Amino acid sequence: MKRNLYTLLSLVVLVSIALAACAPQATATEAPATQAPATQAPSGTEAPASTGKTATGAWSQEPDNVVPYFTQMSYAIWIAQLTLVGLGEWNEKGDFVAELGADVPTAENGGVSADGLTITWKLKPGLKWSDGEPLTSADVKFTWQAVMDPANAPLSRTGYDKIASIDTPDDSTVVIKFSELYPPWQTLFTQGPNNSGSILPEHILKGKTALESDPFIHQPTVGSGPFVIKEWVAGDHMTLVRNDNFYGSRPILDQVNIKFVPTPETALAALQTGDVDWYPDFSESDIPTLKGLEPTIHSLVVPGADFEHYFFNLGTKAGVNGKGAADVDGFCPFKDVKVRKAITLGINRQAIVDTLLNGATKVPATQWPNSAWTNTSLQPDAYDPDAAGKLLDEAGYTLGSDGIRHGMCNGVDTKLSFRFDTTDKQIRVDNALAVQSDLAKIGIEFKPNHSPAGTFFAGYTDGGLMPTGNYDMAGYTTGFYPDPMTGVIDSYACDTVPSAAHPSGANNYLICDPKLDDLMAAVNATADPAARKAALDELQKYIFDQYYVIMMYARANVYGYVDRFVPGPFGFYSNMNWNAEVWDVKQ
């Protein structure tokens, strides 16, 4: 029986729910009695009296910006979840739920048109910004216009560039008309831990351009989330206070403090002394230590779809067919798939998982770990230094007297000696040292360079090393969810390669491969979940066969918090910040 397109679009939402159900469930290392029940965010309207309740978190990375269209840092997106929200969000069950929207658009409620090209959102009544100004459909339309304005340089326009128009027949109605089918429409204008969709205030930003340099982008003066930023002392702390104009019940906490600490080890020490109440980013290697601190300190491990990966600078100044030109050419040997495969085979990734991460995770084959979208026909390559050496021989790189391989690349005698960039987080330092040792055994000089997160993740307009091509190899954690194409086009498309001529773009691999563009387009050419899965399987296999990235390990979200802190429910897609209005502390 032939299914209508609007029914298929509704199924896309259902698939997100199904994927969360298929994913590993959140498991506490010791189930704390203080864990809040899994409930929806409160929806009352009465503001509770001030209680003086305050909670303090430790963060080992300081955000570079807060408005999420202009940052790629997870910690920055977390602040956006607390202060600048969107039309919808993902709850602890993986369900897509309305936030500023009154309901999620569906075919049944008239929010999704029969052809799938028109999405209509209704806003909750009486929405206000934290300064008391009305938050209306005009703000949603303005957000789209700001993202698409060529005078601004957001990191991504993916999806927003598929919108033909937005109509606002009244203050509470947003009619989004797409120029072509766009199955991941739920990720637009919605705020989550892995998608950037905050609504921007027209009354603050109207008429401004070059928003990437505007002070508001770094530190918003008004917000729509449960908290607003009161103070930010660089390198020390951030203070958030309750937003009494928040759309639901006012937050239980009056104040949230964020202390910026140099390392997770510092955060752990602060938890033990009671100086902070939670830390959201422990490593898998910290799980045994956290277990030993029960019941004073609780730990929670939530397997997720994030992954740590290494990748190559594949930039080319010439571009491909007039597209994807980068400012610089990447390290010449990386253009050879045999070299990329040899480096992958030459890293003992399983040993890193077993020794540095206590076996708490796994080495995945693709960039969709712990998900029903994974191409299960693919298996990660095992450590094989002998095979790696043979591949390098075939590629023309032989050992020199200094123990480093060299060979001719584009007519130039080139050593397999290159810099690797990542953050200064200790687990990344440890990982890089292990990789350095492994690769030295096959004649490759791998030279780690560690930078503070704010420097490492800087965007093009701030001289960031990845978007400007000032790196050879690099590594960090990312993830493609809640929709399986979230971030994929940004990461791989020819049109998203950043350059002086095109500073917008989040393609940090600097890769332009027309075959990839076609494969990605095929995934979004249908709303049928089965057809999308088949197309995504092909995309995964191509990336796998080309060795465009090295999948180091799947990441788990590892939280630690003291007994007095009562967070809300955590989830596979939602992280811990989606429902900060229900955070509480025991008194």
Side-chain angles (χ1 to χ4, degrees):
M1 183 172 63
K2 188 175 180 180
R3 287 177 290 178
N4 290 329
L5 182 58
Y6 66 81
T7 303
L8 294 176
L9 279 169
S10 299
L11 284 174
V12 173
V13 181
L14 297 176
V15 166
S16 294
I17 299 170
L19 292 181
C22 292
Q25 297 299 304
T27 55
T29 56
E30 295 287 340
T34 57
Q35 179 69 32
T39 58
Q40 293 289 335
S43 57
T45 57
E46 294 300 319
S50 174
T51 61
K53 290 184 176 182
T54 298
T56 301
W59 284 13
S60 55
Q61 293 181 19
E62 184 170 1
D64 52 352
N65 287 314
V66 170
V67 174
Y69 301 104
F70 301 91
T71 179
Q72 57 186 345
M73 284 183 67
S74 294
Y75 283 80
I77 302 303
W78 295 345
I79 284 290
Q81 283 184 281
L82 299 177
T83 59
L84 286 167
V85 297
L87 298 178
E89 62 183 343
W90 281 263
N91 69 12
E92 81 284 355
K93 298 177 183 178
D95 300 340
F96 183 54
V97 297
E99 188 162 25
L100 297 177
D103 295 291
V104 171
T106 64
E108 291 72 22
N109 64 21
V112 178
S113 65
D115 61 5
L117 296 179
T118 302
I119 308 297
T120 301
W121 282 92
K122 289 286 188 177
L123 301 183
K124 286 181 169 66
L127 292 176
K128 293 181 180 179
W129 293 97
S130 59
D131 61 0
E133 288 293 315
L135 194 165
T136 72
S137 58
D139 293 300
V140 181
K141 183 174 183 177
F142 170 78
T143 299
W144 170 60
Q145 294 171 330
V147 170
M148 294 306 300
D149 189 338
N152 299 325
L155 290 181
S156 172
R157 294 187 172 99
T158 298
Y160 296 96
D161 59 357
K162 305 299 183 187
I163 296 173
S165 65
I166 294 182
D167 296 331
T168 54
D170 55 58
D171 284 349
S172 63
T173 305
V174 182
V175 183
I176 305 170
K177 297 180 179 179
F178 287 89
S179 58
E180 61 186 73
L181 188 66
Y182 190 68
W185 60 263
Q186 299 95 337
T187 63
L188 305 180
F189 306 106
T190 57
Q191 185 58 45
N194 198 49
N195 61 289
S196 305
S198 299
I199 305 304
L200 302 179
E202 181 183 35
H203 70 287
I204 299 293
L205 297 175
K206 185 177 182 178
K208 294 186 177 183
T209 55
L211 287 182
E212 65 277 1
S213 302
D214 192 273
F216 183 93
I217 302 305
H218 176 68
Q219 183 174 341
T221 52
V222 303
S224 55
F227 299 97
V228 292
I229 301 172
K230 177 182 180 182
E231 180 183 54
W232 186 346
V233 178
D236 189 71
H237 73 275
M238 181 186 290
T239 301
L240 310 176
V241 296
R242 186 176 73 172
N243 174 15
D244 283 334
N245 284 322
F246 184 56
Y247 68 84
S249 293
R250 281 29 171 210
I252 295 172
L253 296 177
D254 285 322
Q255 184 168 304
V256 171
N257 302 316
I258 305 295
K259 288 187 177 181
F260 303 125
V261 299
T263 65
E265 292 73 25
T266 308
L268 179 60
L271 278 173
Q272 291 177 283
T273 59
D275 290 332
V276 301
D277 297 307
W278 88 91
Y279 178 70
D281 196 20
F282 283 111
S283 168
E284 292 84 350
S285 59
D286 297 313
I287 293 172
T289 299
L290 291 169
K291 283 184 178 181
L293 298 175
E294 289 283 354
T296 305
I297 296 175
H298 303 304
S299 57
L300 189 70
V301 180
V302 184
D306 289 316
F307 53 85
E308 183 82 358
H309 73 320
Y310 287 5
F311 53 90
F312 309 92
N313 180 345
L314 297 173
T316 169
K317 290 192 290 185
V320 180
N321 300 330
K323 291 185 175 183
D327 287 344
V328 300
D329 288 316
F331 187 53
C332 180
F334 293 161
K335 301 301 193 296
D336 189 336
V337 66
K338 290 182 179 179
V339 174
R340 300 195 298 269
K341 182 175 181 178
I343 293 172
T344 303
L345 296 178
I347 299 174
N348 195 341
R349 294 174 289 168
Q350 190 60 51
I352 289 173
V353 167
D354 292 340
T355 59
L356 296 180
L357 303 176
N358 294 292
T361 183
K362 63 182 180 181
V363 178
T366 82
Q367 293 170 281
W368 286 262
N370 295 327
S371 167
W373 293 103
T374 300
N375 184 338
T376 55
S377 70
L378 303 174
Q379 296 299 317
D381 291 289
Y383 175 54
D384 193 340
D386 292 336
K390 291 177 181 178
L391 283 167
L392 294 174
D393 289 338
E394 293 173 11
Y397 295 94
T398 58
L399 285 173
S401 59
D402 57 0
I404 303 172
R405 289 179 181 265
H406 68 98
M408 302 302 291
C409 194
N410 284 349
V412 177
D413 191 13
T414 305
K415 280 189 175 185
L416 290 186
S417 173
F418 51 83
R419 194 181 81 199
F420 169 76
D421 284 276
T422 188
T423 71
D424 54 6
K425 191 174 181 179
Q426 188 60 48
I427 189 62
R428 292 199 171 111
V429 173
D430 295 340
N431 287 341
L433 288 173
V435 172
Q436 183 181 50
S437 176
D438 286 342
L439 294 182
K441 296 172 186 174
I442 60 172
I444 293 177
E445 186 176 35
F446 177 89
K447 300 180 290 186
N449 179 56
H450 300 280
S451 305
T455 301
F456 177 72
F457 286 111
Y460 188 94
T461 55
D462 294 319
L465 61 89
M466 287 185 290
T468 61
N470 186 25
Y471 79 98
D472 296 321
M473 277 185 71
Y476 59 86
T477 290
T478 189
F480 297 151
Y481 64 92
D483 184 89
M485 288 299 288
T486 300
V488 180
I489 293 174
D490 291 335
S491 298
Y492 283 110
C494 290
D495 289 341
T496 61
V497 173
S499 66
H502 180 59
S504 294
N507 184 340
N508 288 329
Y509 312 143
L510 306 180
I511 186 175
C512 179
D513 181 341
K515 174 70 171 179
L516 267 176
D517 279 2
D518 290 343
L519 290 168
M520 290 186 293
V523 181
N524 278 345
T526 175
D528 183 346
R532 291 191 88 203
K533 176 66 167 65
L536 188 65
D537 279 352
E538 288 190 42
L539 174 63
Q540 291 177 66
K541 187 176 188 310
Y542 185 75
I543 294 171
F544 180 88
D545 289 343
Q546 294 298 315
Y547 290 87
Y548 279 144
V549 299
I550 301 174
M551 297 300 294
M552 295 299 290
Y553 50 87
R555 286 292 310 271
N557 297 307
V558 184
Y559 307 92
Y561 56 100
V562 298
D563 186 66
R564 74 178 288 269
F565 181 55
V566 185
F570 300 70
F572 182 72
Y573 288 155
S574 62
N575 206 282
M576 70 174 290
N577 303 299
W578 76 279
N579 58 359
E581 62 272 17
V582 306
W583 292 357
D584 201 354
V585 291
K586 300 176 182 178
Q587 289 186 325

